[in-house]
């Protein structure tokens, strides 16, 4: 039964990443991979919220498997993040490559802390 | 795309669809039904594999999250091989990349768990472990994708050179 929650969450999260990435990439004309950045940031925020909720006992293990392992896990990606970074280096955009790594990690962590903070305010 | 799509590689997109309009968003979703479906299927498979790995190789709270690190590194190595194969060597069906690249590998690897695990380690008083995990994941993932791309290109070049020799 646990697997079902992971499968369902991922079956929503992965297409969401695909559609969000397309939509974001169409709106600008830079080489910076804003699409992947956006989904990774969103996933970090939601998983931060969920982590805070779980700590406060407000999220059941099923909800955690569905939203966390499934949805947020599939919404966010490390493979595309690192591949796009490599492509930036190969394309001569070293500054953007370094910026992508730095901004993704810093903003991702910021989003997690914000999510945890909001969850603590709501449920603790 | 979720994006196995490096912007340097031209990708067939629908120039007539304006995704800033909600109605056209729906149209785009319908028009891309098959792509969305294989991304969902691939994502479910990838995420299940990641969940399975976390059940087999459990890591205790407060300890170094090796399982997620290895999952992410493996996903990065595989995407390196896969992208070189499908963009530089083979021509494949249009659903192969959304299914395997965007779906399976995107679902298998995770950025959110990576970030939350760092927060959990720091909150649990294991800031040094958290920092080491942050840096080691980045280094391993980038090294994995770079090595995989380089080795696949080299293997492909050798094969191509071999064919040239035979035909000469």
């Amino acid at each position: 039964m646990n697997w079902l929650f992971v499968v369902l969450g991922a079956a929503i999260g992965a297409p969401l990443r695909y559609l969000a990435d397309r939509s974001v990439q169409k709106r600008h004309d830079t080489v910076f991979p804003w699409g992947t950045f956006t989904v990774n940031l969103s996933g970090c925020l939601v998983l931060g919220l969920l982590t805070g909720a779980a700590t406060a006992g407000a999220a059941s293990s099923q909800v955690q498997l569905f939203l966390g392992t499934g949805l947020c896990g599939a919404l966010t990606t490390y493979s595309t993040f690192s591949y796009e970074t490599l492509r930036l280096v190969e394309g001569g955009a070293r500054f953007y490559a370094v910026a992508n790594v730095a901004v993704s990690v810093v903003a991702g962590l910021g989003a997690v802390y914000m999510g945890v903070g909001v969850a603590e305010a709501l449920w603790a | 795309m979720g994006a196995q799509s490096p912007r340097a590689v031209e990708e067939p997109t629908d120039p007539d669809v304006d995704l800033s309009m909600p109605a056209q968003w729906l149209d785009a979703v319908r028009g891309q039904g098959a792509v969305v479906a294989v991304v969902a299927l691939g994502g479910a498979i990838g995420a299940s594999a990641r969940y399975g790995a976390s059940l087999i190789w459990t890591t205790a709270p407060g300890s170094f999250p090796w399982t997620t690190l290895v999952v992410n590194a493996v996903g990065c190595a595989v995407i390196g091989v896969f992208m070189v194969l499908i963009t530089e060597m083979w021509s494949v069906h249009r659903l192969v990349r959304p299914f395997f690249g965007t779906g399976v590998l995107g679902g298998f690897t995770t950025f959110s768990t990576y970030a939350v695990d760092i927060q959990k380690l720091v909150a649990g008083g294991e800031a040094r472990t958290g920092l080491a995990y942050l840096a080691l994941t980045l280094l391993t993932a980038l090294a994995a994708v770079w090595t995989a791309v380089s080795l696949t290109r080299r293997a492909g070049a050798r094969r191509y050179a071999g064919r040239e020799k035979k035909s000469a």
Side-chain angles (χ1 to χ4, degrees), chain A:
Chain A
M1 193 60 187
N2 285 347
W3 290 85
L4 192 64
F5 290 107
V6 176
V7 164
L8 283 178
I12 295 168
L16 209 57
R17 168 163 44 81
Y18 171 73
L19 293 169
D21 181 68
R22 275 182 70 104
S23 147
V24 170
Q25 288 306 129
K26 278 192 181 233
R27 285 166 202 234
H28 67 82
D29 203 26
T30 63
V31 292
F32 194 85
W34 286 113
T36 305
F37 173 75
T38 307
V39 290
N40 277 347
L41 200 64
S42 314
C44 284
L45 181 68
V46 175
L47 195 59
L49 273 169
L50 183 67
T51 303
T55 309
S60 67
S61 68
Q62 284 95 334
V63 169
Q64 291 179 53
L65 286 171
F66 172 73
L67 267 183
T69 311
L71 205 149
C72 289
L75 177 66
T76 63
T77 172
Y78 220 98
S79 49
T80 302
F81 162 69
S82 63
Y83 180 72
E84 285 175 341
T85 304
L86 177 70
R87 293 295 302 196
L88 287 171
V89 174
E90 287 183 341
R94 286 187 185 203
F95 171 77
Y96 281 115
V98 174
N100 187 36
V101 170
V103 172
S104 294
V105 171
V106 171
L109 281 173
V112 166
Y113 274 93
M114 195 188 290
V116 171
V118 169
E120 278 172 354
L122 283 175
W123 285 292

Side-chain angles (χ1 to χ4, degrees), chain B:
Chain B
M1 306 219 70
Q4 316 314 0
S5 123
R7 301 320 144 195
V9 176
E10 278 301 319
E11 196 189 354
T13 46
D14 318 322
D16 53 337
V17 178
D18 177 9
L19 289 173
S20 59
M21 313 232 336
Q24 297 212 359
W25 235 84
L26 277 179
D27 280 346
V29 173
R30 273 191 217 110
Q32 290 200 88
V35 177
V36 170
V38 298
V39 169
L41 178 67
I45 294 169
S48 299
R50 170 166 44 80
Y51 178 54
S54 78
L55 294 179
I56 297 169
W57 298 287
T58 49
T59 46
S63 67
F64 195 95
W66 282 110
T67 307
T68 308
L69 186 148
V70 171
V71 161
N72 279 335
V74 168
C76 289
V78 176
I79 203 171
V81 175
F82 175 71
M83 290 307 293
V84 171
L85 287 179
I86 67 158
T87 60
E88 298 171 23
M89 297 181 190
W90 301 340
S91 63
V92 293
H93 189 275
R94 71 178 183 95
L95 292 179
V96 169
R97 180 168 165 173
F99 170 72
F100 192 72
T102 312
V104 175
L105 294 177
F108 185 59
T109 62
T110 173
F111 196 90
S112 48
T113 304
Y114 162 70
V116 162
D117 280 349
I118 296 169
Q119 183 272 337
K120 280 182 180 165
L121 286 168
V122 173
E126 304 285 343
R128 281 174 64 180
T129 309
L131 205 62
Y133 174 63
L134 184 161
L136 200 61
T137 300
L138 267 180
L139 288 177
T140 316
L142 291 171
V145 72
W146 182 79
T147 310
V149 164
S150 308
L151 290 180
T152 311
R153 278 192 189 135
R154 200 177 300 171
R158 195 174 302 154
R159 221 178 133 176
Y160 184 70
R163 262 188 223 158
E164 289 281 283
K165 216 177 267 176
K166 259 180 222 164
S167 64

